Amino acid sequence: RSKLIDHMAHIHNSVRESTTEYFERYRRYAYVTPKSFLSFITGYQDVYAKKVAYVEMLASNINTGLTKLVEAGDDVSKMKVELKEKEK
């Protein structure tokens, strides 16, 4: 959590420094306000939530696949036993 807070502060400062470069290049001001910073955090939360949902979906798919592999292994074991009994 503290690393995330430090990262957000770093981004805020980087944007503030970029506004200085923007002014030097275009002679127009771009302000970094608390509202714009809160908008950035809201956007970050949206992206984070989407990524978490995507990773959870991938994990669910992997778990489903592993379950099916285990079931297939059990079925193959049963079939081997049945085949040995039929061969006798």
Side-chain angles (χ1 to χ4, degrees), residues 27-62:
R27 292 292 179 211
R28 300 184 100 188
Y29 287 104
Y31 297 100
V32 181
T33 63
K35 183 178 178 180
S36 65
F37 185 65
L38 291 175
S39 295
F40 168 71
I41 290 175
T42 302
Y44 180 84
Q45 288 173 330
D46 292 342
V47 170
Y48 183 79
K50 288 177 185 175
K51 291 292 182 180
V52 166
Y54 179 70
V55 168
E56 287 174 348
M57 187 257 321
L58 289 177
S60 175
N61 290 347
I62 289 171

Side-chain angles (χ1 to χ4, degrees), residues 11-30:
I11 295 295
H12 185 71
N13 288 331
S14 296
V15 169
R16 189 174 41 81
E17 291 169 5
S18 296
T19 59
T20 304
E21 293 173 18
Y22 182 82
F23 176 75
E24 290 172 359
R25 177 180 271 176
Y26 299 107
R27 292 292 179 211
R28 300 184 100 188
Y29 287 104

